Amino acid sequence: MIPSSTKNRPDPKTAVLEALAHLRAAFPLEARILAAGEPMRATYAQVLTHWLRATPPLAAAFDAAALAALVKLDAVVPEEHGLGCYPFSSVDTGIRVSLATGTVNAMCAIDALAIARLARVHTDIDANCASCGATVAIHVEENGGLDHEQAEAARVIWLHAGDVHTSASLGLCRHIRFLCNACPVPEASEHFTLPQAAAIGNAFFGFQTALLAAHALSAAKP
């Protein structure tokens, strides 16, 4: 577990790298997808492509066997209104992200910050402080970055709570939220600036960009 104390905190870059390593260990999504067979990766890319159009995909649109395998890996999450696929959720998580194609829900705060770079469009995030409920509004550029004014708009906290769920959508993601600057950081948590959290998210989901590009190239071949 990442120490909750702020004493002797590492420099910002080291903090990002340590948090990224911790996140990948807690939820090895990239490793699971890269180790999967090609039919599973192709189906995974198709699900993601639907989400980039701000359209929650339905299970009936995909290969049933590949989809079942992806669900078993917790790469795809069957939800009430369609298939969730990190960083996207088909249910209301309280973290909404507006793209040019529509509005989607993000699985968690880090996921929300990563959507702009994945979709290659600027996004607007609308969420609430995990402590007091105050509105948190953030604009993210299409390269995944934030301007100086946005960088101080809020923070991201990672609550280190026990996780009894098999799906990260119901466990891990529920503990990574936005926190306004007026509220203190809870005990047993780590906190990040918005640029740090965006860097973590962009790196964590970076493999999806390469996967989507490979899938598009394959689909374009005669």
Side-chain angles (χ1 to χ4, degrees):
M1 179 181 293
I2 299 176
S4 59
S5 172
T6 58
K7 186 177 181 180
N8 298 321
R9 286 175 60 87
D11 66 82
K13 184 176 181 180
T14 300
V16 167
L17 294 175
E18 289 182 352
L20 177 61
H22 182 62
L23 183 58
R24 284 173 169 163
F27 183 37
L29 178 62
E30 178 178 358
R32 292 172 183 175
I33 293 298
L34 295 184
E38 178 54 33
M40 289 171 60
R41 289 198 298 272
T43 299
Y44 182 71
Q46 291 166 6
V47 174
L48 275 175
T49 299
H50 271 266
W51 272 113
L52 294 178
R53 302 180 189 130
T55 305
L58 301 177
F62 308 100
D63 178 81
L67 192 59
L70 289 168
V71 170
K72 189 174 181 180
L73 292 179
D74 193 26
V76 172
V77 184
E79 296 174 322
E80 182 180 356
H81 303 295
L83 298 172
C85 186
Y86 309 92
F88 304 99
S89 173
S90 71
V91 300
D92 185 1
T93 59
I95 303 176
R96 294 159 295 280
V97 182
S98 297
L99 301 82
T101 50
T103 300
V104 298
N105 293 293
M107 289 284 191
C108 73
I110 285 178
D111 289 22
L113 291 163
I115 289 175
R117 187 168 183 175
L118 175 63
R120 298 181 181 178
V121 296
H122 68 265
T123 61
D124 290 299
I125 299 171
D126 175 27
N128 297 98
C129 172
S131 181
C132 71
T135 299
V136 173
I138 304 162
H139 177 81
V140 186
E141 301 298 334
E142 63 182 81
N143 64 358
L146 299 96
D147 62 29
H148 178 72
E149 184 176 323
Q150 291 290 304
E152 304 297 329
R155 294 159 290 169
V156 169
I157 54 170
W158 183 349
L159 298 168
H160 299 302
D163 185 4
V164 297
H165 298 282
T166 56
S167 173
S169 65
L170 297 175
L172 175 68
C173 293
R174 300 293 177 92
H175 305 310
I176 302 176
R177 317 302 289 181
F178 289 106
L179 187 75
C180 75
N181 291 320
C183 290
V185 175
E187 293 292 332
S189 70
E190 181 72 345
H191 68 279
F192 308 97
T193 66
L194 293 182
Q196 284 179 317
I200 294 166
N202 290 333
F204 183 82
F205 290 108
F207 77 96
Q208 292 180 338
T209 300
L211 184 145
L212 288 170
H215 175 69
L217 183 62
S218 176
K221 291 181 179 179

